[in-house]
Amino acid sequence: MASLNPLNSSLDLRKTKHLLRRTTFNYSKNQLDHFIGMTPANMLDTLTMPTTDTLTEPYDPLPTESPDGFWTSSTAAPDSFDNDRRKRGLVAGWWWHNAMSETSLKHKLSFFLHTCFNVAKDDGAGPSACYYDYLRLLDFYAYGNLKTVAKKITMDNAMLVYLDNTRNNKSNPNENYAREFFELFTILEGEQIGEGNYTNYTEEDIQQATRVFSGYKFDETRRYIDPDTGIPTGYINFELHDTESKTFTEAFNNTTIIGKATPTEILDELGEFVDMLFAQPETAKAYCRKLYRYFVKSTWNEEVENDIITPLAEQLIAADYEILPVVKTLLSSQHFFDSDDSNSNDEIIGSIIKSPLQLLSETCSMFQVEYPDPTTNSLTYYNEFFYKFLHNTYFIFSGTTLFSPEEVAGYPAYYQEPHYDRNWFSSNTIIGRYRLIESLISGDNMISNGAIYASLDTVLFVKNNIPNASDPNLLITEMADLLYPESIDTDRTNYFKSYLVDEEFPDYYWSGAWNKYLSSNDSTTVKTRLDALVTAMVNAAEFQLM
């Protein structure tokens, strides 16, 4: 029976790997060593301790003769800067470096909120500074309240532009945002039961919600500051707001929201609407299904729906939509560790294909990839390494653009039946995924061309992280224990060993080469073989899973 009962035992390596991968983008041997032996509850408490971003804001090092610098805090108008598309890429680089600099659940939850309230940065999201504000809003509420996020995102400048709600006026309604608010962001459709009529809402409800959202405006100056977050926000033009009452259908018990006339009262009206929508059990279930798909597994059966999703939804409602308690319940449960049935190896651990973001982050953190420091070498980090290599090459060739999914619904891996996370891996994405490790080892962009200004030293990694590196069998099994969700068998060990020792030679040939390196510090021989081994192990099927 699927169970949300907590797993109270101390975590071994296998379970620690599982929880660390699913909760953070910063995954390394040092972190594993730190967390092994903790209980899930203690580990989650550590992973949710308050953190401070390494980078407070992004930096644009171009033009080199007079950099735009910290343009997001400039007093100049946001739309007065050139190369705004590139700047939005630099905002993504700011976020990623912060995620790589902390071992924290915050960044995984922040990205989860992005999948729930998607704004695609390169598809009509307004100035880059507004996208920076959008990501800061998600970071601010990563441990917060989903109802509050739903209200704040409505006033977010990037969202106002992205889904056209800034064009929504009482005399000229625009239903785009209201439609997506129901269909994608909150309650979801449910089954269609008639023309324009779904299980969870109707077309009439969308029309009434559009009236609630009328008069909300994009502020191109960023001068309006939200008092709760300190982040720039949109504003309300009360003259363009529909002040008449809004009555919803039977799907919402024919609730009537009295129209308001002042900006403060209109925000109260928004609060009443959000409260009405979040009072529906299906809204809570929709979020819990998204959480399950994001953290646990993309598909599930009726038992999981009844024993995991439904009680999580009940907890979410009881907590008035505070997200962190529900996430902790799920991630510390026996079910999450596949310990709620007789076979603990058949369902959860290793069941998700890594996203390009996870694959990149885990590779860089585990192998201690040295990439340029944005605080001391901003031009090389932002422009050469992140923007040209990662943003414009790796992410695109691996099937996505970071923070810019092609569909309003978001990334297909999180919503598109029947493949879900299998969408990450296909014949179209394999080049980007497989050549990432080759690029990091060589220091050259093996996907297209050019230097990437980052380096992965396989010899140094093995020397610092693999205690029994002179024994080729132990070297491989110890590496596999770090890299893969599950241990590998003898056949796989022998396969990978062929990259270290030619088949016709005994194991001591590798032992001799490794010991010679340790005594002479000449890594020429071992580097060639370790480069090949690491490439093979990272590009193996086992590393594509978490």
Side-chain angles (χ1 to χ4, degrees):
M1 177 179 176
S3 175
L4 282 174
N5 290 334
L7 182 72
N8 294 318
S9 58
S10 298
L11 296 172
D12 57 13
L13 173 62
R14 177 174 179 263
K15 291 185 174 68
T16 305
K17 287 189 296 184
H18 176 56
L19 184 54
L20 189 62
R21 274 195 176 97
R22 300 290 178 96
T23 54
T24 180
F25 294 110
N26 189 349
Y27 174 87
S28 68
K29 184 179 185 299
N30 287 340
Q31 297 300 335
L32 288 171
D33 291 343
H34 176 72
F35 288 116
I36 287 175
M38 288 189 182
T39 65
N42 288 339
M43 184 170 169
L44 287 167
D45 285 344
T46 303
L47 289 170
T48 53
M49 292 177 64
T51 59
T52 301
D53 285 344
T54 301
L55 302 177
T56 56
E57 58 184 314
Y59 184 87
D60 187 354
L62 296 180
T64 52
E65 64 274 12
S66 181
D68 285 337
F70 297 110
W71 84 97
T72 60
S73 59
S74 170
T75 56
D79 60 0
S80 66
F81 293 97
D82 294 330
N83 299 309
D84 212 43
R85 184 180 183 89
R86 179 176 57 79
K87 283 181 169 61
R88 286 192 294 271
L90 305 188
V91 170
W94 159 81
W95 186 92
W96 182 73
H97 180 73
N98 283 331
M100 289 295 292
S101 301
E102 303 169 10
T103 305
S104 171
L105 177 61
K106 182 184 83 170
H107 303 287
K108 272 292 177 77
L109 279 175
S110 173
F111 198 82
F112 170 75
L113 292 178
H114 166 61
T115 70
C116 294
F117 301 94
N118 170 47
V119 175
K121 66 178 174 60
D122 298 321
D123 190 19
S128 55
C130 294
Y131 205 82
Y132 166 65
D133 296 335
Y134 163 76
L135 291 184
R136 283 200 295 160
L137 183 67
L138 302 186
D139 281 357
F140 188 91
Y141 286 108
Y143 297 152
N145 188 285
L146 286 168
K147 287 169 63 175
T148 303
V149 176
K151 298 171 191 176
K152 299 293 186 182
I153 206 72
T154 300
M155 291 289 290
D156 176 74
N157 278 311
M159 180 66 82
L160 282 164
V161 178
Y162 178 60
L163 289 181
D164 304 317
N165 203 53
T166 191
R167 301 178 181 179
N168 177 25
N169 304 320
K170 63 181 179 181
S171 59
N172 187 23
N174 186 306
E175 296 180 353
N176 197 20
Y177 180 66
R179 184 174 304 279
E180 308 303 5
F181 197 84
F182 281 101
E183 181 180 337
L184 302 176
F185 296 170
T186 57
I187 197 169
L188 311 187
E189 290 177 339
E191 293 184 13
Q192 186 167 3
I193 56 178
E195 183 67 28
N197 185 4
Y198 297 92
T199 309
N200 297 337
Y201 62 86
T202 69
E203 284 292 316
E204 185 178 343
D205 292 315
I206 291 174
Q207 294 164 10
Q208 297 302 305
T210 301
R211 297 173 62 209
V212 171
F213 293 139
S214 61
Y216 290 69
K217 298 299 167 189
F218 164 67
D219 172 34
E220 62 184 8
T221 69
R222 297 172 74 223
R223 70 181 184 273
Y224 294 96
I225 305 299
D226 180 82
D228 298 321
T229 65
I231 298 172
T233 183
Y235 70 99
I236 294 173
N237 185 332
F238 63 90
E239 294 179 342
L240 299 178
H241 179 72
D242 189 330
T243 59
E244 300 298 319
S245 296
K246 295 87 177 171
T247 300
F248 293 83
T249 66
E250 289 183 3
F252 300 97
N253 300 315
N254 302 113
T255 297
T256 295
I257 295 176
I258 305 301
K260 307 296 194 305
T262 69
T264 300
E265 291 174 336
I266 292 168
L267 285 178
D268 292 337
E269 186 180 333
L270 171 64
E272 291 180 39
F273 167 73
V274 170
D275 287 344
M276 176 195 76
L277 196 56
F278 279 67
Q280 307 302 309
E282 281 303 315
T283 302
K285 286 185 178 181
Y287 282 117
C288 289
R289 292 182 187 118
K290 288 180 178 181
L291 283 168
Y292 191 91
R293 184 167 291 121
Y294 185 78
F295 281 111
V296 185
K297 196 178 180 183
S298 61
T299 59
W300 56 89
N301 57 24
E302 186 176 356
E303 177 186 340
V304 170
E305 180 72 20
N306 294 333
D307 297 339
I308 303 297
I309 303 295
T310 297
L312 283 176
E314 292 169 352
Q315 181 185 357
L316 189 59
I317 292 173
D320 197 29
Y321 284 88
E322 290 291 329
I323 191 172
L324 189 55
V326 174
V327 170
K328 283 187 171 183
T329 295
L330 177 60
L331 298 183
S332 63
S333 68
Q334 294 175 14
H335 178 72
F336 176 74
F337 293 98
D338 203 3
S339 298
D340 53 357
D341 57 31
S342 58
N343 188 348
S344 62
N345 299 289
D346 65 335
E347 293 177 327
I348 309 300
I349 297 178
S351 65
I352 293 180
I353 294 177
K354 293 173 185 170
S355 69
L357 175 59
Q358 183 71 29
L359 184 70
L360 165 71
S361 304
E362 193 172 311
T363 301
C364 287
S365 55
M366 173 54 74
F367 287 101
Q368 301 159 342
V369 171
E370 293 187 3
Y371 62 82
D373 185 341
T375 62
T376 59
N377 196 353
S378 59
L379 178 64
T380 310
Y381 171 74
Y382 280 111
N383 199 56
E384 304 299 330
F385 172 67
F386 187 85
Y387 189 65
K388 289 184 179 179
F389 173 56
L390 295 184
H391 185 275
N392 287 359
T393 306
Y394 164 70
F395 278 113
I396 291 174
F397 277 84
S398 59
T400 187
T401 301
L402 183 60
F403 290 117
S404 197
E406 295 181 0
E407 303 294 334
V408 177
Y411 307 93
Y414 300 120
Y415 74 88
Q416 193 172 86
E417 299 180 81
H419 299 301
Y420 294 111
D421 56 293
R422 282 177 287 172
N423 282 295
W424 292 130
F425 200 95
S426 70
S427 58
N428 294 324
T429 67
I430 196 170
I431 291 177
R433 296 178 76 97
Y434 279 8
R435 291 190 176 169
L436 170 65
I437 187 65
E438 297 173 24
S439 300
L440 292 172
I441 289 174
S442 69
D444 293 317
N445 187 340
M446 304 299 288
I447 303 171
S448 57
N449 58 74
I452 67 171
Y453 301 94
S455 62
L456 191 167
D457 190 328
T458 58
V459 179
L460 193 61
F461 168 76
V462 169
K463 180 180 179 181
N464 292 340
N465 294 276
I466 308 300
N468 298 292
S470 63
D471 183 326
N473 298 288
L474 292 177
L475 187 158
I476 288 164
T477 56
E478 288 172 6
M479 275 187 59
D481 283 342
L482 293 177
L483 299 181
Y484 301 155
E486 305 285 11
S487 299
I488 59 174
D489 60 21
T490 302
D491 287 342
R492 289 299 276 167
T493 300
N494 289 334
Y495 166 74
F496 289 125
K497 190 169 65 170
S498 66
Y499 288 92
L500 297 179
V501 184
D502 293 338
E503 194 170 331
E504 65 271 19
F505 292 104
D507 291 354
Y508 63 74
Y509 272 74
W510 168 258
S511 302
W514 182 254
N515 290 329
K516 181 179 179 180
Y517 152 68
L518 292 179
S519 62
S520 69
N521 206 33
D522 180 357
S523 63
T524 305
T525 301
V526 296
K527 176 174 169 52
T528 300
R529 294 189 176 266
L530 286 176
D531 286 353
L533 173 66
V534 169
T535 300
M537 294 189 76
V538 167
N539 287 341
E542 293 94 333
F543 191 72
Q544 307 302 312
L545 301 173
M546 70 173 187

